[in-house]
Amino acid sequence: MSWLLAFDDEMPLARGVAQALGWPLHEVRRHRFPDGETRLRLPPRLPQRVALLRGLQQPNAKLTELLLAAAGARELGVSQLALVSPYLAYMRQDIAFEPGQAVSQRHVGQALAQWFDEVITVDPHLHRVASLDDVLSGRRGIALSAAGLLGDWVARHVRDAILLGPDEEAAQWVDTAARAHGLEHAVCRKQRHGDREVTVALPDLDLRGREVVLIDDVASTGRTLIAAAQGAQARGASAVDVAVTHALFVGDAMAELAAAGVRHVWSTDTVPHASNAISVVALLAGALRAG
Ligand code: R5P
């Protein structure tokens, strides 16, 4: 019998997954000391197989939590320890763009591979790397995709939608989202000039009177989506909606998307956010059941 462990701020998703599997769910309690250190308390008795659910939005403090939780679980006798990280951070830097840059995807992957036997995640940002196994040096990585769920949602809520990926990396998610429903789709070309400065060139499409849905794996500052939305409107789109897997939406992202005229923003519940509309519970439960 496996147990699922989770932290207080991710209990709604964890409850759904535990319920779908019929697994006991237990909380990892944490105390933050005034100086910023963290104390964790795991259930004092654990079975041999445990899965820990921890999304890595706002990742830096959580990486310390993972280090402590994994080491603590091993000391309590856990032999098979899986990490279920619905959003896996640090996947976007997969090469050194300038000499001296630490390739965070590789280094975070190596740390996770030391602590966990298996990592399950949803739509990790793998661009120049073929699979999650390659990131996890010797451990098993399971990369699920919510893109099909985004496509199902769009097909139910937007009539005759055209799906647009804001950059070429989004082709993998846009293709999958479009496939089951035969939706028209294309990708843009993006140039990033800074954290909040991007330009997006649209493909040569007539969007007059069309309802466009922008599909991406992750929205952070929202600037990529805003630039793509503005481009679609300039081409005559009658409405622009957004459907993303991971809703980081930091700072003023949601306000700026609304100001840019975006009609609906939909996301999955990999990251808790007001835009969550599509659940990945069945996806995660399926992977854990199969494991
Ligand atoms: C990168 O290519 C990702 O797929 C997203 O497009 C990007 O991370 C979004 O970032 P932001 O919302 O800050 O523009």
Side-chain angles (χ1 to χ4, degrees), residues 163-213:
L163 307 186
L164 216 50
D167 51 36
E168 283 152 329
E169 292 156 57
Q172 53 185 308
W173 300 293
V174 177
D175 291 350
T176 307
R179 197 172 306 131
H181 303 278
L183 299 172
E184 212 178 317
H185 60 287
V187 293
C188 308
R189 266 179 298 112
K190 177 168 81 177
Q191 267 194 297
R192 185 172 283 285
H193 311 285
D195 288 344
R196 289 166 191 273
E197 294 81 36
V198 293
T199 47
V200 170
L202 267 73
D204 191 18
L205 284 173
D206 182 3
L207 297 178
R208 279 174 298 177
R210 298 297 305 270
E211 302 199 21
V212 172
V213 183

Short mmCIF file of all heavy atoms in Angstrom, two decimals, residues 163-213:
data_model
loop_
_atom_site.label_atom_id
_atom_site.label_comp_id
_atom_site.label_asym_id
_atom_site.label_seq_id
_atom_site.Cartn_x
_atom_site.Cartn_y
_atom_site.Cartn_z
N LEU A 163 -6.47 27.43 -32.82
CA LEU A 163 -5.48 27.40 -31.73
C LEU A 163 -4.17 28.00 -32.23
O LEU A 163 -3.71 27.67 -33.32
CB LEU A 163 -5.22 25.97 -31.27
CG LEU A 163 -6.42 25.12 -30.87
CD1 LEU A 163 -5.95 23.78 -30.29
CD2 LEU A 163 -7.30 25.86 -29.86
N LEU A 164 -3.58 28.84 -31.38
CA LEU A 164 -2.33 29.49 -31.76
C LEU A 164 -1.32 29.31 -30.63
O LEU A 164 -1.62 29.64 -29.47
CB LEU A 164 -2.61 30.98 -31.95
CG LEU A 164 -1.89 31.76 -33.04
CD1 LEU A 164 -1.98 31.05 -34.39
CD2 LEU A 164 -2.47 33.16 -33.14
N GLY A 165 -0.16 28.76 -30.94
CA GLY A 165 0.93 28.70 -29.96
C GLY A 165 1.75 29.97 -30.10
O GLY A 165 2.07 30.36 -31.22
N PRO A 166 2.13 30.61 -29.00
CA PRO A 166 2.81 31.90 -29.11
C PRO A 166 4.26 31.79 -29.58
O PRO A 166 4.86 32.79 -29.94
CB PRO A 166 2.74 32.47 -27.69
CG PRO A 166 2.57 31.28 -26.82
CD PRO A 166 1.82 30.26 -27.61
N ASP A 167 4.82 30.58 -29.55
CA ASP A 167 6.19 30.41 -30.06
C ASP A 167 6.35 28.99 -30.60
O ASP A 167 5.47 28.14 -30.43
CB ASP A 167 7.24 30.71 -28.98
CG ASP A 167 6.99 29.95 -27.68
OD1 ASP A 167 6.52 28.79 -27.76
OD2 ASP A 167 7.24 30.50 -26.60
N GLU A 168 7.49 28.76 -31.25
CA GLU A 168 7.67 27.46 -31.91
C GLU A 168 7.75 26.30 -30.92
O GLU A 168 7.35 25.18 -31.22
CB GLU A 168 8.91 27.50 -32.81
CG GLU A 168 8.62 28.26 -34.11
CD GLU A 168 9.83 28.94 -34.72
OE1 GLU A 168 10.74 29.35 -33.98
OE2 GLU A 168 9.87 29.06 -35.96
N GLU A 169 8.24 26.60 -29.70
CA GLU A 169 8.30 25.54 -28.69
C GLU A 169 6.92 25.03 -28.31
O GLU A 169 6.77 23.92 -27.80
CB GLU A 169 8.99 26.05 -27.42
CG GLU A 169 10.46 26.35 -27.62
CD GLU A 169 10.95 27.37 -26.61
OE1 GLU A 169 10.80 27.13 -25.40
OE2 GLU A 169 11.46 28.42 -27.05
N ALA A 170 5.91 25.86 -28.52
CA ALA A 170 4.54 25.48 -28.13
C ALA A 170 3.91 24.51 -29.13
O ALA A 170 2.82 23.99 -28.87
CB ALA A 170 3.67 26.73 -28.00
N ALA A 171 4.61 24.24 -30.25
CA ALA A 171 4.02 23.36 -31.28
C ALA A 171 3.59 22.02 -30.69
O ALA A 171 2.54 21.47 -31.01
CB ALA A 171 5.00 23.15 -32.42
N GLN A 172 4.44 21.46 -29.77
CA GLN A 172 4.13 20.14 -29.19
C GLN A 172 2.78 20.16 -28.46
O GLN A 172 2.01 19.21 -28.53
CB GLN A 172 5.25 19.71 -28.24
CG GLN A 172 5.58 20.73 -27.17
CD GLN A 172 6.79 20.33 -26.31
OE1 GLN A 172 6.84 19.24 -25.78
NE2 GLN A 172 7.76 21.21 -26.17
N TRP A 173 2.47 21.27 -27.77
CA TRP A 173 1.22 21.31 -27.00
C TRP A 173 0.05 21.68 -27.91
O TRP A 173 -1.04 21.15 -27.76
CB TRP A 173 1.36 22.30 -25.84
CG TRP A 173 2.48 21.88 -24.93
CD1 TRP A 173 2.50 20.76 -24.15
CD2 TRP A 173 3.75 22.51 -24.75
NE1 TRP A 173 3.70 20.68 -23.49
CE2 TRP A 173 4.48 21.73 -23.83
CE3 TRP A 173 4.35 23.67 -25.27
CZ2 TRP A 173 5.77 22.07 -23.42
CZ3 TRP A 173 5.63 24.00 -24.86
CH2 TRP A 173 6.33 23.21 -23.95
N VAL A 174 0.29 22.57 -28.84
CA VAL A 174 -0.78 22.99 -29.75
C VAL A 174 -1.21 21.82 -30.63
O VAL A 174 -2.41 21.58 -30.81
CB VAL A 174 -0.32 24.18 -30.62
CG1 VAL A 174 -1.40 24.57 -31.61
CG2 VAL A 174 0.02 25.37 -29.74
N ASP A 175 -0.26 21.08 -31.16
CA ASP A 175 -0.59 19.92 -32.01
C ASP A 175 -1.45 18.93 -31.24
O ASP A 175 -2.46 18.43 -31.74
CB ASP A 175 0.68 19.19 -32.48
CG ASP A 175 1.49 20.02 -33.46
OD1 ASP A 175 0.98 21.06 -33.91
OD2 ASP A 175 2.63 19.63 -33.75
N THR A 176 -1.03 18.63 -30.00
CA THR A 176 -1.78 17.65 -29.20
C THR A 176 -3.18 18.18 -28.87
O THR A 176 -4.17 17.44 -28.93
CB THR A 176 -1.02 17.35 -27.89
OG1 THR A 176 0.30 16.98 -28.23
CG2 THR A 176 -1.67 16.24 -27.10
N ALA A 177 -3.26 19.46 -28.50
CA ALA A 177 -4.57 20.03 -28.15
C ALA A 177 -5.51 20.00 -29.34
O ALA A 177 -6.72 19.78 -29.19
CB ALA A 177 -4.38 21.47 -27.65
N ALA A 178 -4.98 20.20 -30.54
CA ALA A 178 -5.82 20.31 -31.73
C ALA A 178 -6.28 18.95 -32.25
O ALA A 178 -7.35 18.82 -32.84
CB ALA A 178 -5.04 21.03 -32.83
N ARG A 179 -5.45 17.91 -31.99
CA ARG A 179 -5.61 16.63 -32.69
C ARG A 179 -6.99 15.99 -32.55
O ARG A 179 -7.67 15.75 -33.55
CB ARG A 179 -4.52 15.64 -32.24
CG ARG A 179 -4.34 14.47 -33.18
CD ARG A 179 -3.13 13.64 -32.79
NE ARG A 179 -1.91 14.42 -32.67
CZ ARG A 179 -1.08 14.37 -31.64
NH1 ARG A 179 -1.33 13.57 -30.62
NH2 ARG A 179 0.01 15.11 -31.62
N ALA A 180 -7.43 15.79 -31.30
CA ALA A 180 -8.66 14.99 -31.09
C ALA A 180 -9.88 15.63 -31.73
O ALA A 180 -10.83 14.93 -32.10
CB ALA A 180 -8.89 14.78 -29.60
N HIS A 181 -9.87 16.94 -31.86
CA HIS A 181 -11.07 17.62 -32.36
C HIS A 181 -10.86 18.21 -33.75
O HIS A 181 -11.71 18.95 -34.25
CB HIS A 181 -11.49 18.71 -31.37
CG HIS A 181 -11.72 18.15 -30.00
ND1 HIS A 181 -12.89 17.54 -29.64
CD2 HIS A 181 -10.89 18.06 -28.93
CE1 HIS A 181 -12.79 17.11 -28.39
NE2 HIS A 181 -11.59 17.40 -27.94
N GLY A 182 -9.72 17.91 -34.34
CA GLY A 182 -9.44 18.41 -35.69
C GLY A 182 -9.45 19.93 -35.77
O GLY A 182 -9.90 20.50 -36.77
N LEU A 183 -8.96 20.58 -34.72
CA LEU A 183 -8.99 22.05 -34.70
C LEU A 183 -7.87 22.61 -35.57
O LEU A 183 -6.77 22.05 -35.64
CB LEU A 183 -8.84 22.56 -33.27
CG LEU A 183 -9.93 22.13 -32.28
CD1 LEU A 183 -9.57 22.54 -30.85
CD2 LEU A 183 -11.27 22.77 -32.68
N GLU A 184 -8.17 23.75 -36.18
CA GLU A 184 -7.16 24.44 -36.97
C GLU A 184 -6.10 24.97 -36.00
O GLU A 184 -6.44 25.43 -34.91
CB GLU A 184 -7.84 25.60 -37.68
CG GLU A 184 -7.25 25.93 -39.03
CD GLU A 184 -8.02 27.07 -39.68
OE1 GLU A 184 -9.27 27.06 -39.63
OE2 GLU A 184 -7.35 27.96 -40.22
N HIS A 185 -4.83 24.94 -36.38
CA HIS A 185 -3.81 25.40 -35.45
C HIS A 185 -2.55 25.85 -36.16
O HIS A 185 -2.30 25.46 -37.31
CB HIS A 185 -3.47 24.32 -34.42
CG HIS A 185 -2.94 23.06 -35.04
ND1 HIS A 185 -3.72 22.18 -35.73
CD2 HIS A 185 -1.69 22.54 -35.07
CE1 HIS A 185 -2.99 21.17 -36.16
NE2 HIS A 185 -1.75 21.37 -35.78
N ALA A 186 -1.78 26.68 -35.45
CA ALA A 186 -0.52 27.19 -36.00
C ALA A 186 0.31 27.73 -34.83
O ALA A 186 -0.20 27.84 -33.71
CB ALA A 186 -0.82 28.32 -36.99
N VAL A 187 1.57 28.03 -35.12
CA VAL A 187 2.39 28.66 -34.07
C VAL A 187 3.01 29.96 -34.58
O VAL A 187 3.21 30.14 -35.78
CB VAL A 187 3.53 27.73 -33.55
CG1 VAL A 187 2.96 26.54 -32.80
CG2 VAL A 187 4.45 27.29 -34.68
N CYS A 188 3.32 30.84 -33.62
CA CYS A 188 3.95 32.12 -33.93
C CYS A 188 5.47 31.96 -33.76
O CYS A 188 5.96 30.89 -33.39
CB CYS A 188 3.48 33.18 -32.96
SG CYS A 188 1.68 33.30 -32.83
N ARG A 189 6.18 33.03 -34.01
CA ARG A 189 7.62 33.06 -33.72
C ARG A 189 7.86 34.14 -32.68
O ARG A 189 7.35 35.25 -32.81
CB ARG A 189 8.43 33.35 -34.99
CG ARG A 189 8.89 32.05 -35.66
CD ARG A 189 9.68 32.29 -36.93
NE ARG A 189 8.86 32.98 -37.92
CZ ARG A 189 9.08 34.23 -38.33
NH1 ARG A 189 10.11 34.92 -37.87
NH2 ARG A 189 8.28 34.80 -39.20
N LYS A 190 8.60 33.77 -31.64
CA LYS A 190 8.80 34.73 -30.54
C LYS A 190 10.25 35.12 -30.43
O LYS A 190 11.14 34.29 -30.63
CB LYS A 190 8.35 34.07 -29.22
CG LYS A 190 8.57 34.94 -27.99
CD LYS A 190 7.87 34.38 -26.77
CE LYS A 190 8.66 33.27 -26.11
NZ LYS A 190 8.00 32.78 -24.88
N GLN A 191 10.46 36.37 -30.08
CA GLN A 191 11.82 36.80 -29.71
C GLN A 191 11.74 37.41 -28.33
O GLN A 191 10.88 38.28 -28.08
CB GLN A 191 12.30 37.86 -30.69
CG GLN A 191 13.10 37.29 -31.83
CD GLN A 191 13.83 38.40 -32.55
OE1 GLN A 191 13.18 39.29 -33.11
NE2 GLN A 191 15.15 38.35 -32.53
N ARG A 192 12.59 36.91 -27.43
CA ARG A 192 12.59 37.47 -26.07
C ARG A 192 13.75 38.45 -25.95
O ARG A 192 14.88 38.14 -26.28
CB ARG A 192 12.72 36.33 -25.05
CG ARG A 192 12.61 36.81 -23.62
CD ARG A 192 12.55 35.66 -22.65
NE ARG A 192 11.25 35.01 -22.59
CZ ARG A 192 10.18 35.51 -21.99
NH1 ARG A 192 10.23 36.70 -21.41
NH2 ARG A 192 9.04 34.84 -21.98
N HIS A 193 13.41 39.65 -25.48
CA HIS A 193 14.45 40.68 -25.32
C HIS A 193 14.76 40.92 -23.84
O HIS A 193 15.74 41.57 -23.51
CB HIS A 193 13.98 41.98 -25.96
CG HIS A 193 13.45 41.79 -27.37
ND1 HIS A 193 14.28 41.56 -28.44
CD2 HIS A 193 12.18 41.73 -27.85
CE1 HIS A 193 13.52 41.39 -29.54
NE2 HIS A 193 12.25 41.47 -29.20
N GLY A 194 13.92 40.43 -22.96
CA GLY A 194 14.12 40.61 -21.52
C GLY A 194 13.02 39.86 -20.80
O GLY A 194 12.16 39.24 -21.43
N ASP A 195 13.02 39.92 -19.45
CA ASP A 195 12.02 39.15 -18.69
C ASP A 195 10.60 39.50 -19.11
O ASP A 195 9.72 38.65 -19.13
CB ASP A 195 12.17 39.45 -17.19
CG ASP A 195 13.43 38.81 -16.61
OD1 ASP A 195 14.00 37.92 -17.28
OD2 ASP A 195 13.84 39.23 -15.51
N ARG A 196 10.38 40.78 -19.36
CA ARG A 196 9.01 41.23 -19.69
C ARG A 196 8.92 41.81 -21.09
O ARG A 196 7.94 42.48 -21.42
CB ARG A 196 8.56 42.31 -18.68
CG ARG A 196 8.28 41.74 -17.32
CD ARG A 196 8.18 42.81 -16.25
NE ARG A 196 8.18 42.19 -14.94
CZ ARG A 196 7.11 41.74 -14.33
NH1 ARG A 196 5.92 41.92 -14.87
NH2 ARG A 196 7.19 41.16 -13.15
N GLU A 197 9.94 41.62 -21.88
CA GLU A 197 9.93 42.21 -23.22
C GLU A 197 10.00 41.08 -24.25
O GLU A 197 11.05 40.41 -24.35
CB GLU A 197 11.11 43.17 -23.44
CG GLU A 197 11.09 44.42 -22.60
CD GLU A 197 11.60 44.18 -21.19
OE1 GLU A 197 12.53 43.38 -21.03
OE2 GLU A 197 11.05 44.77 -20.24
N VAL A 198 8.91 40.89 -24.97
CA VAL A 198 8.91 39.89 -26.03
C VAL A 198 8.21 40.46 -27.26
O VAL A 198 7.33 41.30 -27.14
CB VAL A 198 8.16 38.58 -25.63
CG1 VAL A 198 8.87 37.83 -24.55
CG2 VAL A 198 6.74 38.86 -25.23
N THR A 199 8.65 40.01 -28.42
CA THR A 199 7.90 40.32 -29.63
C THR A 199 7.47 38.99 -30.24
O THR A 199 8.21 38.01 -30.20
CB THR A 199 8.74 41.14 -30.64
OG1 THR A 199 10.01 40.52 -30.77
CG2 THR A 199 8.91 42.57 -30.20
N VAL A 200 6.25 39.00 -30.78
CA VAL A 200 5.69 37.77 -31.34
C VAL A 200 5.24 38.06 -32.77
O VAL A 200 4.47 39.00 -33.00
CB VAL A 200 4.49 37.28 -30.48
CG1 VAL A 200 3.74 36.16 -31.17
CG2 VAL A 200 4.98 36.80 -29.11
N ALA A 201 5.75 37.26 -33.70
CA ALA A 201 5.35 37.41 -35.11
C ALA A 201 4.35 36.31 -35.44
O ALA A 201 4.64 35.12 -35.25
CB ALA A 201 6.57 37.30 -36.01
N LEU A 202 3.17 36.70 -35.92
CA LEU A 202 2.13 35.71 -36.22
C LEU A 202 2.38 35.01 -37.55
O LEU A 202 2.99 35.60 -38.44
CB LEU A 202 0.75 36.38 -36.23
CG LEU A 202 0.06 36.31 -34.86
CD1 LEU A 202 0.69 37.25 -33.89
CD2 LEU A 202 -1.43 36.53 -35.00
N PRO A 203 1.88 33.78 -37.69
CA PRO A 203 1.99 33.13 -39.00
C PRO A 203 1.05 33.83 -39.99
O PRO A 203 0.16 34.59 -39.57
CB PRO A 203 1.52 31.70 -38.71
CG PRO A 203 0.67 31.80 -37.50
CD PRO A 203 1.18 32.95 -36.70
N ASP A 204 1.24 33.54 -41.24
CA ASP A 204 0.46 34.22 -42.27
C ASP A 204 -0.94 33.60 -42.35
O ASP A 204 -1.19 32.68 -43.11
CB ASP A 204 1.21 34.06 -43.60
CG ASP A 204 0.60 34.96 -44.65
OD1 ASP A 204 -0.12 35.90 -44.27
OD2 ASP A 204 0.84 34.69 -45.84
N LEU A 205 -1.85 34.11 -41.53
CA LEU A 205 -3.20 33.54 -41.43
C LEU A 205 -4.23 34.67 -41.48
O LEU A 205 -3.99 35.75 -40.92
CB LEU A 205 -3.40 32.85 -40.08
CG LEU A 205 -2.77 31.49 -39.84
CD1 LEU A 205 -2.96 31.10 -38.38
CD2 LEU A 205 -3.43 30.46 -40.74
N ASP A 206 -5.36 34.38 -42.07
CA ASP A 206 -6.45 35.37 -42.04
C ASP A 206 -7.29 35.09 -40.79
O ASP A 206 -7.98 34.06 -40.72
CB ASP A 206 -7.30 35.21 -43.31
CG ASP A 206 -8.42 36.24 -43.36
OD1 ASP A 206 -8.48 37.10 -42.43
OD2 ASP A 206 -9.22 36.20 -44.31
N LEU A 207 -7.22 35.97 -39.83
CA LEU A 207 -7.94 35.72 -38.56
C LEU A 207 -9.21 36.57 -38.46
O LEU A 207 -9.84 36.62 -37.39
CB LEU A 207 -7.02 36.02 -37.37
CG LEU A 207 -5.78 35.12 -37.25
CD1 LEU A 207 -4.93 35.54 -36.07
CD2 LEU A 207 -6.18 33.66 -37.12
N ARG A 208 -9.59 37.22 -39.55
CA ARG A 208 -10.77 38.09 -39.49
C ARG A 208 -12.01 37.32 -39.04
O ARG A 208 -12.36 36.29 -39.63
CB ARG A 208 -11.03 38.76 -40.84
CG ARG A 208 -10.13 39.98 -41.06
CD ARG A 208 -10.28 40.52 -42.42
NE ARG A 208 -9.87 39.50 -43.42
CZ ARG A 208 -9.95 39.67 -44.73
NH1 ARG A 208 -10.41 40.80 -45.22
NH2 ARG A 208 -9.55 38.72 -45.56
N GLY A 209 -12.62 37.80 -37.94
CA GLY A 209 -13.85 37.18 -37.43
C GLY A 209 -13.63 35.85 -36.74
O GLY A 209 -14.59 35.20 -36.34
N ARG A 210 -12.39 35.43 -36.55
CA ARG A 210 -12.11 34.12 -35.93
C ARG A 210 -11.93 34.25 -34.41
O ARG A 210 -11.47 35.26 -33.92
CB ARG A 210 -10.82 33.52 -36.51
CG ARG A 210 -10.84 33.23 -37.98
CD ARG A 210 -11.88 32.17 -38.37
NE ARG A 210 -11.76 30.92 -37.65
CZ ARG A 210 -11.03 29.88 -38.05
NH1 ARG A 210 -10.35 29.95 -39.17
NH2 ARG A 210 -11.00 28.76 -37.34
N GLU A 211 -12.32 33.19 -33.71
CA GLU A 211 -12.09 33.12 -32.27
C GLU A 211 -10.78 32.36 -32.06
O GLU A 211 -10.68 31.17 -32.39
CB GLU A 211 -13.25 32.44 -31.57
CG GLU A 211 -14.55 33.18 -31.84
CD GLU A 211 -15.66 32.88 -30.85
OE1 GLU A 211 -15.37 32.42 -29.73
OE2 GLU A 211 -16.82 33.11 -31.19
N VAL A 212 -9.80 33.07 -31.53
CA VAL A 212 -8.46 32.52 -31.38
C VAL A 212 -8.25 32.09 -29.93
O VAL A 212 -8.60 32.81 -29.00
CB VAL A 212 -7.41 33.59 -31.76
CG1 VAL A 212 -5.99 33.11 -31.41
CG2 VAL A 212 -7.50 33.92 -33.24
N VAL A 213 -7.70 30.90 -29.75
CA VAL A 213 -7.32 30.48 -28.40
C VAL A 213 -5.81 30.25 -28.36
O VAL A 213 -5.27 29.45 -29.13
CB VAL A 213 -8.05 29.18 -27.96
CG1 VAL A 213 -7.68 28.83 -26.52
CG2 VAL A 213 -9.57 29.36 -28.08
#
